Amino acid sequence: RILVTGALGQIGSELVLKLRKLYGADNVIATDIRKNDTEIVHSGPFELLDVTDADAMYQIAKKNQVDTIIHLAALLSATAESKPLIAWNLNMGGLVNALEVARELKCQFFTPSSIGAFGPTTPKDHTPQDTIQRPTTMYGVNKVAGELLCDYYYHKFGVDTRGLRFPGLISYMTPPGGGTTDYAVEIYYEALRSGKYTSYIAKGTYMDMMYMPDALNAIVALMEADPAKLKHRNSFNVTAMSFEPEEIAAEIRKHLPHFQLDYDVDPVRQAIADSWPNSIDATAAKEEWGFKAEYDLQKMTEDMLARLEQKISPVGT
Ligand code: VAH
């Protein structure tokens, strides 16, 4: 059975539903520090869990005979930058607790890394799988330390740890919270709600992005991949596209011609974005476990706007 931490977050809230369809609802135990009234809580087992409580996590995993842990509970880049020590304690404390449970109960293990694991001295274009990682954000420090810790648990204790360096993830179900790439989600909501969006990320700032369905497929494909074929484990570069605010706005205008984009740059999140790559190279993921993305900017925009139109009242109504 699969234990998911941070199940009510941006990735978790869609991944849990997908895993329940794939492996059976009762085989996916969703946990989070809070409860809400969504399908996650009602469509299968849900438990309250603070991942900084090692014993609580162990008890839930043991009681449910868990053999796979998907550890998603974390603070994202902008939030982590605003409260770095809390971020360290949650991001690293939660991770080491989850790895210890995986070691003791012999579970397969997944946790996401991020393009945030790269820094200003990393080659910015077609960033290689193996390269310099000197991030200048607490989130980046957590992601690099997390990658190294997961590799350590694999080499030292034989825990089957696997990870993905996710780009900005775009989804229509649960908006992200506290990320730097969140503008690329907010812009779709505002395009429909008000017909205009003020971006806190500057014109010309390229970042890797991916539509959530591709991210979820990548997690399942990696976790089901033949371990003998994995030369890397923590963590694989994966990406679907790279764009700057003007480009996503132009794609939106193909559907909403009057959409207006302007800028009010947030220096904190702009500094984070500037420290990240412009585009990363996902060759290793393609070669070692057949990664591929189905959605490009055009296809994602079509789907996002169609789905969000059903969720929120379109502009002018
Ligand atoms: C963030 N959405 O902005 C996350 C992600 C690559 C970006 O790590 O922090």
Side-chain angles (χ1 to χ4, degrees):
R1 305 176 85 188
I2 301 169
L3 172 68
V4 180
T5 71
L8 299 181
Q10 186 197 15
I11 298 172
S13 56
E14 296 198 48
L15 181 63
V16 164
L17 300 180
K18 183 183 183 74
L19 295 177
R20 284 178 173 163
K21 282 195 188 80
L22 280 172
Y23 305 115
D26 286 345
N27 293 324
V28 184
I29 296 88
T31 69
D32 206 298
I33 194 158
R34 58 195 165 84
K35 205 168 189 173
N36 65 16
D37 205 20
T38 60
E39 200 186 343
I40 311 298
V41 175
H42 300 301
S43 64
F46 180 90
E47 305 240 13
L48 286 172
L49 171 64
D50 175 345
V51 293
T52 61
D53 181 342
D55 187 53
M57 196 187 309
Y58 178 81
Q59 294 307 330
I60 291 173
K62 185 129 179 73
K63 175 180 74 173
N64 288 287
Q65 299 167 300
V66 160
D67 59 23
T68 304
I69 296 177
I70 306 231
H71 180 62
L72 303 175
L75 294 182
L76 295 185
S77 58
T79 304
E81 212 49 33
S82 69
K83 38 190 179 179
L85 213 54
I86 290 171
W88 174 268
N89 289 328
L90 170 54
N91 290 349
M92 303 319 295
L95 177 59
V96 74
N97 288 345
L99 283 165
E100 273 298 285
V101 173
R103 181 180 63 77
E104 287 162 32
L105 298 179
K106 300 193 179 348
C107 301
Q108 190 185 21
F109 189 88
F110 175 87
T111 199
S113 180
S114 160
I115 59 173
F118 298 119
T121 54
T122 303
K124 281 208 171 295
D125 297 308
H126 311 300
T127 304
Q129 175 64 42
D130 301 306
T131 186
I132 301 159
Q133 291 180 259
R134 304 284 300 177
T136 49
T137 64
M138 172 51 82
Y139 181 72
V141 168
N142 297 157
K143 289 303 178 187
V144 175
E147 290 185 7
L148 297 173
L149 195 60
C150 290
D151 274 350
Y152 178 83
Y153 268 73
Y154 171 64
H155 292 295
K156 177 91 175 178
F157 303 117
V159 179
D160 182 359
T161 59
R162 306 181 189 195
L164 297 171
R165 287 178 192 142
F166 277 135
L169 298 183
I170 293 163
S171 58
Y172 59 83
M173 265 183 70
T174 306
T180 297
T181 58
D182 300 1
Y183 91 89
V185 179
E186 295 166 1
I187 194 168
Y188 286 112
Y189 281 85
E190 286 314 310
L192 286 166
R193 278 197 188 112
S194 63
K196 59 182 188 302
Y197 180 67
T198 300
S199 170
Y200 57 78
I201 292 292
K203 182 185 293 196
T205 308
Y206 280 88
M207 288 189 273
D208 284 279
M209 301 281 179
M210 187 188 283
Y211 200 31
M212 187 60 79
D214 282 330
L216 304 182
N217 286 334
I219 293 172
V220 173
L222 173 62
M223 292 301 273
E224 293 189 346
D226 174 1
K229 295 213 175 69
L230 300 181
K231 299 191 197 77
H232 296 85
R233 280 178 169 270
N234 304 283
S235 301
F236 285 91
N237 286 1
V238 285
T239 184
M241 61 192 97
S242 170
F243 55 72
E244 57 105 344
E246 290 294 322
E247 290 171 343
I248 186 172
E251 201 57 41
I252 289 171
R253 284 194 199 98
K254 291 180 185 171
H255 304 266
L256 300 162
H258 304 299
F259 173 66
Q260 292 168 354
L261 171 66
D262 60 22
Y263 297 89
D264 178 9
V265 176
D266 165 13
V268 172
R269 284 181 286 183
Q270 186 61 38
I272 294 172
D274 287 341
S275 74
W276 290 353
N278 295 323
S279 66
I280 66 175
D281 177 86
T283 302
K286 289 170 184 160
E287 288 177 350
E288 296 177 35
W289 48 275
F291 165 68
K292 65 179 172 9
E294 306 291 334
Y295 288 84
D296 60 9
L297 180 54
Q298 180 186 334
K299 208 171 157 202
M300 171 173 73
T301 301
E302 282 162 12
D303 197 67
M304 266 299 270
L305 291 176
R307 303 269 188 170
L308 287 180
E309 250 164 7
Q310 291 161 24
K311 248 183 100 172
I312 52 182
S313 52
V315 62
T317 55

